[in-house]
Amino acid sequence: EAGVAQSPRYKIIEKRQSVAFWCNPISGHATLYWYQQILGQGPKLLIQFQNNGVVDDSQLPKDRFSAERLKGVDSTLKIQPAKLEDSAVYLCASSSPRGGGYTFGSGTRLTVV
Amino acid sequence: AQKVTQAQTEISVVEKEDVTLDCVYETRDTTYYLFWYKQPPSGELVFLIRRNSFDEQNEISGRYSWNFQKSTSSFNFTITASQVVDSAVYFCALSGGGSYIPTFGRGTSLIVHP
């Protein structure tokens, strides 16, 4: 079974620039999550999708972050404009309809300079 | 509100030593789930175990064992005869209130020296 695919693996941008991350979940997994993991901390949920609908985006900084999941499969997370404090690893995860354990991707490490 | 505390920021051991990673949680939910994840240097989070609040049986999987004690709100993780490949950051997590979405602790970095 292929895992959760994320790209790019690394990204370095200057503050105020825009950046986008892509995630392809495990086939058949209806639920998709984006997490932000700041160095030295545990992952924090940004947004949860069920198919192509948003279930929870209460912790997503909507003034600069946006996410979409067209057709209920792939998802894109965008930051515009980026701030220094957005430097983190952005993890995508997916889970089957039964929930429980998730499968995480390897993440995208973003550095904002 | 849910909270997970991993008081140990970093643990350093020599190969073949046993090591216990502590996890203390807070929740008002009567039904909840506890998780442990491993994050190796490659970055992905690897699921290790999920335990529901009604099952206090300890679990053993190879060199890994977990001790769940509701009386002390703890879910500790022990690695027996540690190996260099066990070096990683380990996260304890909690979900409840009908949601499977975990709240993570800050993680414990385990370094196993040869």
Side-chain angles (χ1 to χ4, degrees):
Chain A
E1 177 182 72
V4 175
Q6 288 190 249
S7 67
R9 191 76 176 90
Y10 304 94
K11 190 74 176 179
I12 300 174
I13 61 172
E14 295 182 350
K15 59 183 179 184
R16 291 188 288 272
Q17 285 187 325
S18 302
V19 64
F21 313 127
W22 173 83
C23 172
N24 180 243
I26 289 176
S27 177
H29 279 193
T31 311
L32 184 147
Y33 314 81
W34 282 102
Y35 284 83
Q36 179 192 57
Q37 185 178 14
I38 293 173
L39 185 65
Q41 298 182 20
K44 183 186 81 171
L45 180 70
L46 292 176
I47 189 168
Q48 177 191 356
F49 290 95
Q50 181 74 21
N51 295 309
N52 61 349
V54 175
V55 174
D56 183 355
D57 63 357
S58 57
Q59 297 199 76
L60 187 73
K62 299 180 188 62
D63 58 332
R64 298 182 301 104
F65 285 65
S66 64
E68 59 183 10
R69 192 183 183 195
L70 300 176
K71 301 179 183 178
V73 181
D74 293 5
S75 177
T76 303
L77 176 69
K78 296 179 181 177
I79 306 176
Q80 180 180 10
K83 293 185 176 181
L84 296 176
E85 58 262 36
D86 298 332
S87 294
V89 175
Y90 291 85
L91 292 160
C92 180
S94 67
S95 65
S96 70
R98 287 176 172 257
Y102 311 113
T103 302
F104 282 85
S106 296
T108 296
R109 184 178 296 277
L110 173 68
T111 302
V112 183
V113 297
Chain B
Q2 298 178 336
K3 184 179 178 182
V4 176
T5 301
Q6 295 179 256
Q8 304 150 308
T9 304
E10 183 176 298
I11 300 175
S12 184
V13 299
V14 177
E15 210 170 17
K16 298 183 182 175
E17 282 186 28
D18 298 346
V19 59
T20 295
L21 283 61
D22 298 333
C23 174
V24 175
Y25 63 92
E26 296 176 31
T27 181
R28 293 181 180 175
D29 295 314
T30 54
T31 302
Y32 52 90
Y33 292 88
L34 293 161
F35 305 80
W36 274 96
Y37 284 87
K38 174 182 180 180
Q39 189 173 44
S42 53
E44 77 275 20
L45 279 161
V46 178
F47 170 79
L48 296 178
I49 189 171
R50 180 185 70 167
R51 174 66 84 216
N52 75 54
S53 51
F54 297 107
D55 183 1
E56 285 193 73
Q57 251 189 335
N58 291 332
E59 176 142 347
I60 299 175
S61 177
R63 296 184 297 107
Y64 295 171
S65 61
W66 290 269
N67 181 259
F68 176 28
Q69 292 197 349
K70 287 178 78 170
S71 61
T72 56
S73 297
S74 65
F75 186 44
N76 296 337
F77 172 32
T78 298
I79 301 175
T80 303
S82 59
Q83 299 176 3
V84 173
V85 293
D86 296 328
S87 297
V89 180
Y90 291 86
F91 290 95
C92 180
L94 164 72
S95 70
S99 168
Y100 286 114
I101 300 173
T103 297
F104 287 84
R106 295 177 70 93
T108 297
S109 176
L110 174 65
I111 302 169
V112 182
H113 299 280

